[in-house]
Structure formats: structure tokens, C-alpha cells
Amino acid sequence: MSDIIQVDRLSKIYRSFKGAKEVKALDNISFTAAKGDFIGIMGPSGSGKTSLLNVLSGVDTATSGEVTIDGKSIAKLTKDDLALFRRRQIGYIFQDFNLLDSLTLKENIALPLILDHVPAQQIESRVDDMMSFFGIADLAGKYQYHVSGGQKQRVAAARALIPEPAVVFADEPTGNLDSKSASDIMDMLTQMNEQRASTILMVTHDAFAASYCKRIIFIKDGQINLQIQRAGDRKAFFDKILEILSVMRGDAQ
Amino acid sequence: MTFTHIVSKNLRYNFKRFLSYLFVNSFVVAVLFMYGSLLFNEILAKDIAMKLVSDYIEIAAYAIILFSIAFVSYTGIYFVKSRGKEFGVYLTLGMTTRDLMRMVIFESFVVVIGSAICGIAAGLLVSKLFYLILAKILGLTADIYFISYKTYLLSLGVFLFVFLCNLLFTSTFIRKLSIIQIAKASSTKGLAKSRPVIGGVAAVVFIASLWSFHATLTGNEWLNDLMGDDQSTWLLADMMAMFVSLYFAIASGIDAVRAIFARFPALYNRNILILSSLSHRFFTYKVSLYIVSLLIALSLFFTGFGLSIYSYTKKTIDEYVPFDFMIESTHGINVIGKNEIKAIVEANGGAVGTFSAFEYIRNENYRAFSGQFVYFNKASFIVSETNFNKHMNMSVDVAPDELLLVHNQKGEEQEKVDYDSLLTVEPWRAGNARAEAFRQNPTNADRFVKSLGDIARLKYEQPKTRTMYASFIDSYGNVEFESVMANVVDDSVYDSLRQEEHSTAYLFNLKSGDGSAIFAALLDALRDKNNDQSLWSTAQAQLGVKDQAEYLRPIYKAERIDVMLRINGFMFFSFAFMGLLFLMSSIVVLYYKIVTDVDEEKEKISLLKKIGLTGAECRSYLQAHLAILFFTPLVIGGIPVLFLLHASFGFTVYAGYLMARVLMLYGLFALMNTVFYLTLRKKFFRGAGLAA
């Protein structure tokens, strides 16, 4: 399998601000992800999880190091190319959903395609398809303030997947959800990963959500602390994650 | 940490928002103040020109006060609603509504004091500046700046009143609604239902009242029959209908645009961001488009009206006053001869150019239409064809039973002759009194002729009457530059009136010399002749009474032009001033709209960027949003006003010229709007987190 994400000695340093010390959010991180991978990134608050995701998705720039996604080095892209790259190659699922108030849920899902000038009929069929995949076909004409958090996150997932991106980034997708909705959305992500062969990179601090992943990278102080691979059933993996987390916490103390 | 501490911290945190809120409120105070400087200007009030404008100024009062109320409440409501989340948090944390109200009242207190001080200061400064600039443009020499205490009362009074109402709204808002509703207010503030039926009806009403207004002004017969004598009530009703229906029509217009786009998915998709935001923020779009359209309409109307009156007078003054000087000698007043006049001119270092002693007999006109006998109210006189030809260097020929009507106002000669004419000749005052009596108690033609007794009269039949245009005399009536009419008749007919009072107008041009000195000398000579040194102390004397020396002041063209420019200049000044106030108001409404939109857009843009919108695409979306706000009102407000002004120019042959002037003004509006748009666009882009 070819590597779809290659991260090579990536560093991100936040310059000192208002007299605070400069912060090394990412310190020489390297890893790769193959097509069809489902990777979880875990670590305590301030460990650099979100910084990593921002740099990978091109929302933020790295201080040094290289990120290659689907054969393209994102540091070399111009601002506009980067925008187009994000639109076509990257799907993004946010903790707070980030749906537009003014659009119906269906329009929200269609937005990446609309922005890309895909013909209207094609949009129609692809979006309908995606909505039934996520079990939200009946919400088409509704607005985001009409529906629950779990439903919003499904819409956001559908939006992330609609352009058939090379990679889907998920930033704490269960962070704002109750446990039922959280397990629903994780099932969805697993389905995406298995049935549609989507490559997913998810940042989370929730061990339960992480247990759905195939592989987990633990980050601490901007560095990769540990990587584990799932083997066998989810329950065992979940226990393993909890164990590692408690060890890491112990280290910290 | 005390309550006051939190309140003041809160003020500082919301500083930017407060600043724009303070700014618009100060602006309203300033506009009211500036308007007051015109309404309560005692120097201007003494001027006769202002008597002509005062009606319009009072009408503008309604518009300005209404605007103040609408705008202050709109900004106030927005201000409260946009902070719903903050209020919600306070309430959730256990702040009582009483505490919250205390905080809001304290804030309001700061805003009121600040707005009052800034507003009055800005009003003083800007009004002074306006007066200076406009006076300079119009060439007014007198100092016309005057601020009465009433100006202060008006601006502060109206503002405080509206502000108190706002506070009442806020307190109801906070007390009545649940925490959730208050906290949600900012994300639902733009939602409103669309009402296609009301909107459709409103659009029809709007167009119908526009047509009706136009038709009334241009004299549509069917409509005139329908409304009878109540023309002004009718026009007022039309205006009200236009104002009200426009509001609903705009709403349905927005809906219609969306509905049309929705039929073409490709087109809809290409504009999805702006179209969806149109309906999502339907209410604010609707309200701001309406307010701005109205303000632009009012501004264009006032400025355009002032401009066209000014331009019209300037354009026509040469027709009405073709000669440098005129001395009218009649009823034993101003008895002077050609040689005497020439001697006076030469004694004062001048030389006479063309000179004409134009003789005529004053008369009154009655006209018999089929089935109706009316008095035709117009300054007029009877002239023999020989005298007319000599004076005008023409060769018209009129048979004894023929009448040639010569108008000195272009266009009047084109009016259809569908009447027989009856000209009565008697001393001016008696003729005037008879006409007045007839107007009070109209009779038919036969009875009227019988009542004339042995008063001289001439009768002409419709087929024997023709008309022409010629600028033949310096006309003056009791209104500045009223047009006159000459009844040119055959010499034999004229001779038959030899018993009647003849008048002579000495009309001449200067070949060289100082006109004002010569005019002063002529006035002195005529005061001596009339044995009254107190005559004609001012150029603004009422003119038109033909048997009293005071009213027969000789005409000096340069002086008339001065007077004209003064009167029309004042009128133009007042109209332009009000126009500017409305224009400034529209700009501030737009400004406030942009300031309040920026935060919302910023959030949206950062989201869109994450999804993968390029900078250019973000800009084009924001630009569309701005362009709608800036240019739709120019069309919605501007086009109907152009249409109405066009209707009001129907009376003159110079309608085309006046329309061109008004269109130029409209162009200027559009240009200013564009400049303002370009300026704010940069700010908007930057505010929304995009490099300009």
C-alpha cells in the first residue's frame, strides 16, 4: 500500500507573545499513513494534537519539516492552490460542526461540490446518496438550528466525505456529543473507513472514540510518545488505551 | 471586584461595538441638529424665498423625525439582540434581571451623554461648514448661519424620546423572554417569514400609486375627473401608499429573486452563498434596503427639485427679461420720453443701443370654451400689429377679425386654441376687480357681456385665433418673472380703442456704460417725475400693481438676475441642504450595517476558508453582499424619483434640459455611492479577515 500521508520531521513553534515563553507545539514529528488507514491521535491537553491537525490540513503552516499528502507537498502550494487542495483532497470534521446557518443541511453537504462548480444534477445524486449513507435523508430541507448535535455531526461528516477526499481529518468529532451520538458517529466513521476506503486521521482525547481506530499515535510535549496498533476486538483495544493513558498521566505526575 | 467593576469592564470589552453604536446615535443627533439649524433659522425666515420653501421644510421634518425614530430603534434593537448571548450568560450565572437592567441603563446613560455631546458638536461644526460651502457655491453674500435654542431642543428632545422608547423595549426584552430565547436572539435575529401574497399586492400598489402620482401631475383627464378638486389630498395619499407598499414590495422582491434563481440550479449554486444569506438575514436586508432606498429617494427628490427650480429660472430668465432696462409708463406714472432717457444714460457715461418705445393697452381675457365661460388669469395687453412689428422687427399681418396671441414663455404657443376670446378694456384696477368678482360668481358669456355695459370689449372666434412665441418685453408679475401675453390686433381695431388708457414700455439695451450707475440715475429722475423721493427703496418690492408708482419700479436686468439668484439660491440651498442630510443618513445606515455585519461575516469566512474557499472566492461573496446593499437602493429609490420628477417637468418645453440636469445629479449620486462602496469594501474585507 502506498503512503497517502507522509510527515517528515515536522516542527511548529509558537513565537513568544506578550512576554510568554515560546512554545514548541510540535517537535520533530515523523509518521506515515497508508490509504485506508484510520489513525487516532491522542495526548493530554496542550500536547500539540490540534496543532498537528492544523498543519496537516494546511490551515496553519509548519515552522520546519515537510507534509506530503497524496504525493503533494503542501508547503509548496500557493495559498489559492492550498484552498483548492483542501476543497478536493481533504475532508474536515470539526468538534463544533461548523455548519453554515444560512444553508439547509443538504446545501451544507453539497457546498464543497457547489464551490467546485460540479454540475447541479451530479451534485443532487451524490448528495442524496451520501445523505442516505449517513441515514439523514429526511433532514434535507432543515437548517442546523433545527436538529440535534448528533445529526449535525453526521451532516458534517457527509460534507467532509462528499468531495471523495484523499484524507478525512476529524478534530474531536465526539467532543460535543452525548455517548449515544458519539458511538453512532464513530460507527459511521468506521463504515466510511471500511466501505468507502476513506483514510481518516482523528484527534481525540476520548478513549472510547479512539478505540474505533486501527492505530493510535500518542503525543506528548510535541513528540510522538508511543504508537499502538489494534489487533482483535475493540473492547480489548479500549482497555489498552485506558492503560496507556493512565501510565502517561502517571508519568506526568 | 464589585458590580460596577463588572459593568465598566463590560463597557471596555464591548468598546468597539459601543463606539459604532455611539457613532450612529451621535449622527442622529447631528442630523436633527442640522435640520433644526434650517427650520429655526431666523435670518433665513425673514427672506421671501424661505416662505416659498417652508412647506417643503416642514414636510421634511416628518421624514427626518421618522428616520431618527426608525434608525435609533433599529440600531438599539440590533445592539441588544447581538448581545443576547452575553446577557444570557449573565442571567444563567444568576444575575437578576434587575441587575442586568441596571447595567443596561448605565450603558445607555453613557451612550446618551456621549451621543448628545458628540452629536451637538458635530452638528455645530458640520452645519457651519455646510452653510459656508453652500453659500459659496450659490454666491450668497449674506451671513445666513443662525442657531436658535429651539435647534438644541429639537435635536435632544427627539433623540431622548426615541432613546427612552428603546430602553423600554430592552427592558421588556430582558424581562419577558426566557434565557434561552435571549441567548439565541443573535442567531435568529434575521429570520422572518416570506409573504408572497402581501408582497405581490404591495408591488401592484406601489406601481399603481407611482402611476397615479405621475398621471395626476401630467393632467390625466380620467384621473382628474375621478378625484375632483382634491388633488393635493390625492397626491398625499399616493405618497403614503408608495412609502408603505415599498416596504412589502422589497421583501417580496428578495423572495422573487430567490425563487427565480432556485429554478435554475446551476445559477443558484453559483450564487448560493449570497442567495442563502439573503433569506437567512431576510429581515435585516429588508429593513436596511428599505431605509436606505427611502433616504436616497428623499435625497434625490429634494436636491433634484431644488436643482430643477434653480436651473429652470436660470434657463428662462433671458426669455422673460430680454432687454437691459424697462421703464413702464402708465396711468400718469413714470412719464418720461425717449430723449430724456437717452440724456440720462449719456450724462452717466453710457450709450444706448437698441431702443424701443412699445405701446399697448392693458386688458383682461375671458374665454368661451364649448359650454364653459372662464376668466383667463394672465398679465396681458392689446398691441397693434404695426407697433408689434416695429418693436420686434417683424411683419405679422392680422385681419380685423383676427387675433394673434403672442406668448413670451416657450411652449405656451403650442397649447391648443379651442375657445373664443373676449377681451375687456378698462382701467387696470377696475378690470382687476371685475375679474375677481367674476371668479367669485361666474356667469355665462351672454350675461357677462350684458353686465359690461359700455365697457370696451373685443371678440374673436376660435378659427380666427392663432398663437406664436416671441420674447418681446421684460415681464414682471407679482410672482418673480411671470409670463405675459400680447393680444396682437389689426391697426383699425386698435385705433377704435383710442379713448382707453395707453401705456408705453421703454425697452432698451446699453451699448456701453456702467449699468448700475445709469439705473440709479434713472430711478432718481423718475422719483422726481413722480414727486416721491421715498419710492423704490428695495429691489425686492412687490411688482404687478399697475396704477401705483411703488409697484412700477423700472426693471434692470442685472438686478433682476441678482434677485433671481438670491431667491432661487436660497431655495436651492434649503433643498440641497435637506438632500444632503438624507444622503448622509443613508451613508450612515450603510456604514452601520457593514460594521454590524463584519463580525458575522468574519466567522463565516474563517469557516469557508477551512472548507477550501480561495481568497478570491471569499472576496467575491463579500463583494456581492456589499454591492446589493449599496446599489439596489440606488435603483429602488432612485428610479421612481426620476420618474416623478419627470412628471413634474411636464409644464415646460425645457423638460428635457431639466431632466438632463437631474440625471447628472443622479450620476453624481451613483459616483459618490461607488466611491463610498470602494472605500468601505476595503474595510469590510479587512474586517472579515481577508487582505484587501
Side-chain angles (χ1 to χ4, degrees):
Chain A
M1 260 198 291
S2 62
D3 288 337
I4 208 137
I5 305 177
Q6 292 174 313
V7 179
D8 190 23
R9 282 166 294 164
L10 195 64
S11 292
K12 174 75 190 174
I13 298 167
Y14 291 105
R15 298 267 164 253
S16 55
F17 179 67
K18 276 192 177 172
K21 261 171 62 184
E22 69 171 31
V23 177
K24 263 193 183 172
L26 299 175
D27 187 7
N28 233 359
I29 284 190
S30 302
F31 69 92
T32 60
K35 186 163 171 52
D37 247 345
F38 187 177
I39 301 177
I41 296 182
M42 297 196 75
S45 293
S47 59
K49 300 185 300 277
T50 302
S51 294
L52 177 63
L53 208 56
N54 282 343
V55 172
L56 290 187
S57 61
V59 173
D60 203 351
T61 51
T63 310
S64 67
E66 199 181 7
V67 177
T68 312
I69 292 177
D70 205 15
K72 277 208 182 85
S73 168
I74 62 168
K76 288 181 186 141
L77 296 174
T78 64
K79 239 183 173 179
D80 278 355
D81 284 340
L82 198 59
L84 293 177
F85 181 73
R86 269 203 300 279
R87 189 191 291 176
R88 292 172 188 154
Q89 306 294 338
I90 294 176
Y92 216 126
I93 303 173
F94 306 89
Q95 178 174 5
D96 47 4
F97 324 123
N98 274 341
L99 300 174
L100 288 177
D101 274 341
S102 58
L103 299 180
T104 62
L105 297 179
K106 185 170 181 177
E107 286 168 343
N108 262 297
I109 297 172
L111 194 58
L113 300 182
I114 290 174
L115 294 176
D116 228 17
H117 306 295
V118 174
Q121 287 133 323
Q122 205 181 323
I123 295 181
E124 192 77 8
S125 67
R126 274 169 73 178
V127 172
D128 285 346
D129 208 32
M130 194 60 77
M131 289 185 88
S132 50
F133 178 75
F134 281 100
I136 46 174
D138 53 332
L139 301 180
K142 293 222 154 56
Y143 287 87
Q144 70 140 326
Y145 38 82
H146 291 144
V147 300
S148 71
Q151 286 167 321
K152 278 185 215 177
Q153 200 54 295
R154 282 168 191 238
V155 173
R159 179 179 66 186
L161 216 57
I162 197 89
E164 293 170 359
V167 191
V168 173
F169 292 114
D171 186 4
E172 304 273 12
T174 57
N176 271 340
L177 302 178
D178 61 88
S179 59
K180 169 76 173 62
S181 303
S183 65
D184 280 355
I185 204 78
M186 289 320 297
D187 282 337
M188 282 288 139
L189 289 180
T190 311
Q191 269 185 51
M192 272 165 61
N193 177 245
E194 284 167 1
Q195 293 173 19
R196 299 199 173 231
S198 305
T199 312
I200 303 175
L201 197 101
M202 174 177 78
V203 164
T204 185
H205 65 260
D206 175 10
F208 173 74
S211 67
Y212 284 81
C213 299
K214 290 179 181 165
R215 174 156 67 113
I216 294 181
I217 299 175
F218 291 90
I219 297 187
K220 200 177 170 191
D221 301 329
Q223 289 174 319
I224 293 180
N225 188 271
L226 185 69
Q227 292 199 45
I228 54 170
Q229 199 87 28
R230 174 168 157 190
D233 88 324
R234 196 166 60 75
K235 181 77 185 67
F237 197 46
F238 178 56
D239 292 337
K240 181 130 192 236
I241 296 168
L242 286 180
E243 194 188 316
I244 293 173
L245 286 178
S246 72
V247 171
M248 282 174 80
R249 220 169 286 140
D251 278 358
Q253 280 161 9
Chain B
M1 231 195 287
T2 59
F3 180 69
T4 349
H5 180 81
I6 291 176
V7 171
S8 69
K9 187 98 186 180
N10 184 44
L11 258 174
R12 257 175 291 153
Y13 174 72
N14 281 311
F15 186 67
K16 252 183 135 174
R17 205 181 277 168
F18 263 105
L19 212 59
S20 60
Y21 187 52
L22 192 75
F23 172 71
V24 290
N25 279 298
S26 312
F27 177 83
V28 170
V29 177
V31 162
L32 285 167
F33 184 86
M34 287 168 66
Y35 172 71
S37 77
L38 192 65
L39 183 66
F40 302 122
N41 191 319
E42 285 175 12
I43 301 175
L44 281 178
K46 287 189 195 118
D47 200 280
I48 43 168
M50 289 308 278
K51 299 204 173 80
L52 301 170
V53 207
S54 60
D55 280 353
Y56 292 96
I57 295 184
E58 277 160 29
I59 291 173
Y62 295 110
I64 286 184
I65 290 175
L66 243 132
F67 160 74
S68 311
I69 293 173
F71 191 50
V72 172
S73 356
Y74 170 71
T75 55
I77 290 171
Y78 186 91
F79 188 63
V80 170
K81 282 201 165 184
S82 66
R83 294 172 59 200
K85 207 176 213 169
E86 184 190 325
F87 289 169
V89 171
Y90 289 144
L91 291 175
T92 314
L93 291 179
M95 192 187 257
T96 59
T97 46
R98 219 175 125 244
D99 285 338
L100 193 55
M101 267 319 285
R102 263 172 59 202
M103 192 179 89
V104 171
I105 288 172
F106 175 77
E107 288 173 4
S108 301
F109 185 70
V110 173
V111 171
V112 166
I113 299 285
S115 309
I117 293 173
C118 298
I120 297 273
L124 272 168
L125 202 75
V126 180
S127 63
K128 178 88 192 165
L129 200 70
F130 267 22
Y131 274 83
L132 275 177
I133 292 172
L134 283 172
K136 185 114 194 157
I137 291 172
L138 299 170
L140 305 176
T141 44
D143 185 12
I144 49 172
Y145 189 62
F146 180 86
I147 300 294
S148 153
Y149 72 95
K150 288 183 199 154
T151 306
Y152 291 94
L153 282 185
L154 174 86
S155 47
L156 293 179
V158 172
F159 174 68
L160 277 180
F161 171 74
V162 181
F163 207 91
L164 283 178
C165 293
N166 253 1
L167 210 55
L168 207 67
F169 163 81
T170 312
S171 74
T172 326
F173 175 74
I174 291 175
R175 238 176 295 131
K176 285 271 162 70
L177 293 178
S178 69
I179 293 178
I180 287 294
Q181 277 169 316
I182 291 175
K184 261 194 172 171
S186 75
S187 68
T188 56
K189 65 183 179 294
L191 295 177
K193 251 190 233 154
S194 78
R195 296 192 175 86
V197 178
I198 294 181
V201 172
V204 172
V205 170
F206 181 70
I207 291 171
S209 46
L210 202 61
W211 172 81
S212 154
F213 198 93
H214 188 278
T216 309
L217 283 183
T218 47
N220 181 299
E221 274 179 31
W222 176 79
L223 208 62
N224 279 323
D225 287 348
L226 190 73
M227 66 194 172
D229 293 334
D230 257 354
Q231 194 176 9
S232 52
T233 320
W234 185 268
L235 288 178
L236 200 69
D238 274 342
M239 293 274 270
M240 295 313 286
M242 272 186 249
F243 283 155
V244 175
S245 59
L246 182 65
Y247 180 73
F248 298 100
I250 284 180
S252 67
I254 297 176
D255 274 340
V257 168
R258 257 181 68 82
I260 291 168
F261 272 88
R263 297 194 139 234
F264 306 97
L267 201 61
Y268 180 82
N269 282 349
R270 213 171 305 144
N271 301 289
I272 186 164
L273 290 175
I274 188 69
L275 286 171
S276 64
S277 122
L278 266 184
S279 63
H280 179 62
R281 284 182 293 184
F282 186 64
F283 181 74
T284 58
Y285 264 111
K286 189 172 67 173
V287 171
S288 34
L289 283 183
Y290 178 66
I291 293 184
V292 176
S293 298
L294 266 194
L295 289 171
I296 290 208
L298 285 168
S299 174
L300 189 65
F301 176 76
F302 277 106
T303 325
F305 198 61
L307 177 71
S308 45
I309 292 177
Y310 187 74
S311 309
Y312 177 74
T313 317
K314 236 180 157 177
K315 183 84 182 169
T316 52
I317 189 160
D318 271 333
E319 285 170 31
Y320 292 149
V321 190
F323 294 92
D324 288 348
F325 292 93
M326 177 172 94
I327 299 167
E328 193 179 18
S329 175
T330 184
H331 291 79
I333 300 158
N334 294 343
V335 181
I336 195 167
K338 178 178 177 179
N339 291 334
E340 278 174 283
I341 293 173
K342 281 194 165 170
I344 294 168
V345 172
E346 278 157 22
N348 286 280
V352 173
T354 51
F355 187 100
S356 179
F358 182 52
E359 190 198 283
Y360 49 84
I361 299 167
R362 291 247 155 223
N363 78 302
E364 300 296 337
N365 297 282
Y366 297 84
R367 287 176 173 178
F369 295 87
S370 56
Q372 215 188 353
F373 183 68
V374 298
Y375 169 63
F376 180 61
N377 184 15
K378 178 158 212 171
S380 91
F381 34 73
I382 299 168
V383 187
S384 75
E385 57 184 348
T386 305
N387 281 341
F388 185 75
N389 284 334
K390 202 174 79 189
H391 174 56
M392 291 305 293
N393 207 8
M394 284 179 171
S395 53
V396 300
D397 184 24
V398 189
D401 60 345
E402 282 179 349
L403 175 66
L404 171 62
L405 298 174
V406 183
H407 296 277
N408 76 334
Q409 182 178 4
K410 233 182 238 169
E412 285 197 340
E413 79 281 7
Q414 284 160 13
E415 277 166 24
K416 210 167 84 190
V417 177
D418 51 357
Y419 47 82
D420 298 336
S421 296
L422 174 68
L423 319 181
T424 62
V425 184
E426 56 190 317
W428 179 83
R429 192 161 290 267
N432 222 28
R434 186 183 303 282
E436 193 46 44
F438 174 79
R439 270 203 295 205
Q440 306 260 331
N441 293 302
T443 61
N444 63 26
D446 288 344
R447 217 174 294 159
F448 180 74
V449 170
K450 250 180 230 157
S451 76
L452 284 176
D454 55 359
I455 300 297
R457 85 230 32 192
L458 303 173
K459 287 174 88 169
Y460 294 96
E461 288 171 355
Q462 175 260 325
K464 301 282 185 187
T465 309
R466 60 185 202 270
T467 60
M468 69 176 271
Y469 159 77
S471 174
F472 59 93
I473 196 168
D474 286 2
S475 57
Y476 51 14
N478 45 2
V479 177
E480 200 68 19
F481 312 112
E482 198 184 46
S483 63
V484 296
M485 181 176 78
N487 296 289
V488 179
V489 298
D490 186 64
D491 287 352
S492 63
V493 177
Y494 189 75
D495 284 344
S496 72
L497 298 170
R498 82 182 71 84
Q499 302 296 327
E500 306 302 330
E501 175 76 41
H502 284 52
S503 308
T504 302
Y506 298 101
L507 296 151
F508 58 97
N509 290 325
L510 268 195
K511 201 189 283 171
S512 64
D514 174 4
S516 334
I518 290 165
F519 185 60
L522 282 169
L523 289 183
D524 279 341
L526 288 166
R527 283 185 190 113
D528 288 345
K529 295 253 175 208
N530 295 325
N531 287 319
D532 187 350
Q533 296 304 320
S534 66
L535 285 176
W536 309 322
S537 55
T538 162
Q540 281 179 31
Q542 290 266 312
L543 305 165
V545 177
K546 294 302 171 191
D547 59 359
Q548 281 180 31
E550 183 60 35
Y551 297 97
L552 286 166
R553 191 175 195 269
I555 287 184
Y556 171 40
K557 185 174 187 168
E559 186 189 76
R560 283 350 282 172
I561 289 180
D562 273 355
V563 170
M564 179 285 286
L565 285 180
R566 229 184 99 74
I567 293 181
N568 286 277
F570 269 150
M571 287 177 73
F572 188 22
F573 167 80
S574 313
F575 281 122
F577 188 86
M578 287 185 287
L580 265 171
L581 285 188
F582 287 121
L583 191 67
M584 276 171 49
S585 308
S586 78
I587 287 175
V588 161
V589 175
L590 282 175
Y591 169 81
Y592 187 73
K593 172 89 183 120
I594 305 274
V595 167
T596 50
D597 276 358
V598 139
D599 287 341
E600 223 165 305
E601 295 301 342
K602 190 175 181 177
E603 221 168 90
K604 196 166 177 177
I605 290 293
S606 89
L607 198 163
L608 288 171
K609 272 176 149 177
K610 277 186 193 161
I611 296 176
L613 222 63
T614 62
E617 284 166 334
C618 291
R619 268 196 288 277
S620 105
Y621 156 67
L622 288 180
Q623 197 163 300
H625 172 70
L626 266 195
I628 288 175
L629 286 174
F630 271 81
F631 295 103
T632 341
L634 207 58
V635 176
I636 299 177
I639 304 290
V641 169
L642 290 178
F643 180 68
L644 294 182
L645 283 176
H646 179 260
S648 68
F649 297 154
F651 74 96
T652 165
V653 283
Y654 296 117
Y657 167 77
L658 295 181
M659 207 54 218
R661 301 295 298 250
V662 170
L663 281 173
M664 259 168 63
L665 184 72
Y666 186 60
L668 188 70
F669 269 52
L671 185 75
M672 276 160 51
N673 207 47
T674 311
V675 170
F676 184 57
Y677 162 76
L678 292 175
T679 324
L680 268 194
R681 190 177 64 172
K682 238 186 209 166
K683 185 181 160 65
F684 195 50
F685 283 169
R686 228 177 291 132
L690 287 170

